[in-house]
Amino acid sequence: MNYSSRFFLYAPLALFLLLAAGTGLYWWHAASALSAELDALNGHEAIPGVTVRFASKSVSGFPFNLDVVFADLSVTVKTPHGPSSWRAEKFALHALTYGREQMILEAAGAQALSWTDMQGRQHTMPFQAGELHASAIAKDGGLVRFDLDCVGFGSPALTAGRVQLHARVSKAPGIEIFATADSVHLSPALASAFGPDITAVRLNASAVPAKAFDSLRTAKADWVSAFEGFRTANGQLLVDALEVDWNRLSAMGKGQLSLDAAHAVDGLLDFKIAGMEKWLAAPHAHGPNNGIAAALADRAAKAGNNPAGMLGAVVGFHGGLISVGDETATTEEPLY
């Protein structure tokens, strides 16, 4: 075998070994940097107002992925009236060593939500999920898309077959939001006169201007500052469709919502409601007929259905009050 033949035989092998060594060194460097960054974040603010804690972690995924598995992870968010947190017995983060900035998140085992209400009282809701996945995509140093999918949610307060949330920064000057919940069953403490079972909830909306949330997407401000910037910029949530479907009653609405000076929701949602007569004829065995249910019944008695069998009802939010038509139904608390 001459020199030329040996070159074409060994050169590809040498190139492959060189690339493999380079890939291994790059992955080791990226994994080590990620591990050190996570250790530095443990028990400290990952972004303003959000603290991450975990008992232990492991990094794997060579050569193309960075897979981090956490044990006893908790995320605590500061609010004006006290901390709120989420804890997961097992949590995993998956990212690509090469390619776009995308993270896949998974949670399993026992989980719990804890929060502080406006009166400073602490609440905790343990829950289990058959599957809980999320995806976050970043571009130019900021979050541009977030997706959450939970299958088989179960807790003492409520259960749900599936819950989804999708949010993305669109080409138009807004953040598109799409949320769904299917097969929801409420506990007796939460059930209303509409009944304990909600077949489906659908929300299709957009928050404008998106620029108000730039500091939050780039992790330079906490959520309260971002929402305050949204409020002072005359931000609006444009609700293109909000659908709620009970067993006997279904409602489809649209409208515009904003935040007032007291940080409460302000605006109107215009609903068209089907099945009102059937609901009124049924015994209200699942809760007291008060609040929105009572106001809606009064609205039906006064206005009646249109020729298509639909009842029109405008739900208003103003000054800390929620009204149905011209009748005050209940009160609302500020968001922060």
Side-chain angles (χ1 to χ4, degrees):
M1 182 180 290
N2 57 34
Y3 176 80
S4 177
S5 298
R6 289 196 300 273
F7 175 81
F8 285 106
L9 176 63
Y10 294 118
L13 178 60
L15 180 60
F16 172 77
L17 293 175
L18 182 63
L19 290 174
T23 300
L25 288 173
Y26 181 84
W27 184 91
W28 179 84
H29 174 75
S32 298
L34 177 61
S35 180
E37 183 179 356
L38 291 173
D39 286 337
L41 285 177
N42 193 9
H44 299 87
E45 286 192 347
I47 63 174
V50 179
T51 301
V52 177
R53 290 183 176 87
F54 52 87
S56 63
K57 73 174 194 324
S58 62
V59 182
S60 60
F62 177 84
F64 300 114
N65 296 331
L66 290 169
D67 301 324
V68 187
V69 178
F70 300 89
D72 292 326
L73 178 134
S74 67
V75 179
T76 302
V77 181
K78 289 182 180 178
T79 74
H81 46 275
S84 296
S85 65
W86 167 68
R87 186 189 69 81
E89 187 178 23
K90 299 177 182 179
F91 182 79
L93 179 156
H94 309 283
L96 296 173
T97 310
Y98 314 92
R100 68 177 179 175
E101 296 182 68
Q102 180 175 12
M103 289 189 297
I104 305 297
L105 314 172
E106 298 178 280
Q111 301 177 57
L113 289 172
S114 300
W115 67 95
T116 308
D117 63 24
M118 300 298 292
Q119 288 72 42
R121 295 186 295 261
Q122 297 288 327
H123 304 269
T124 299
M125 183 181 71
F127 70 92
Q128 294 273 357
E131 297 179 17
L132 181 58
H133 303 276
S135 171
I137 299 175
K139 184 178 180 181
D140 299 328
L143 186 67
V144 295
R145 178 160 184 160
F146 179 79
D147 301 278
L148 174 70
D149 190 3
C150 177
V151 179
F153 179 91
S155 76
L158 61 92
T159 61
R162 189 169 192 175
V163 179
Q164 296 184 74
L165 172 65
H166 307 278
R168 67 175 182 176
V169 180
S170 63
K171 293 181 180 179
I175 298 177
E176 296 178 352
I177 302 167
F178 179 70
T180 68
D182 296 303
S183 303
V184 179
H185 178 77
L186 304 174
S187 67
L190 295 179
S192 69
F194 299 123
D197 297 310
I198 302 175
T199 306
V201 180
R202 300 281 186 273
L203 171 66
N204 188 2
S206 58
V208 294
K211 187 175 179 60
F213 295 101
D214 284 354
S215 59
L216 182 63
R217 294 192 304 105
T218 55
K220 295 178 181 178
D222 63 7
W223 72 271
V224 173
S225 300
F227 272 82
E228 185 64 7
F230 178 72
R231 183 187 71 82
T232 56
N234 297 318
Q236 292 186 325
L237 181 68
L238 307 178
V239 181
D240 296 319
L242 173 58
E243 179 183 358
V244 186
D245 187 4
W246 289 271
N247 287 334
R248 304 184 184 93
L249 196 70
S250 64
M252 175 70 77
K254 61 181 180 179
Q256 298 181 4
L257 302 174
S258 60
L259 293 172
D260 63 19
H263 310 147
V265 175
D266 186 87
L268 300 172
L269 292 174
D270 187 2
F271 283 95
K272 296 294 185 288
I273 302 170
M276 195 68 197
E277 291 182 354
K278 187 176 180 181
W279 176 72
L280 288 172
H284 302 165
H286 300 293
N289 190 2
N290 55 20
I292 292 179
L296 193 59
D298 290 344
R299 172 67 179 167
K302 293 177 183 178
N305 296 336
N306 64 18
M310 308 286 283
L311 171 69
V314 176
V315 177
F317 304 80
H318 183 69
L321 300 175
I322 301 176
S323 61
V324 177
D326 57 359
E327 181 175 340
T328 299
T330 186
T331 60
E332 62 164 327
E333 292 184 340
L335 296 183
Y336 57 95

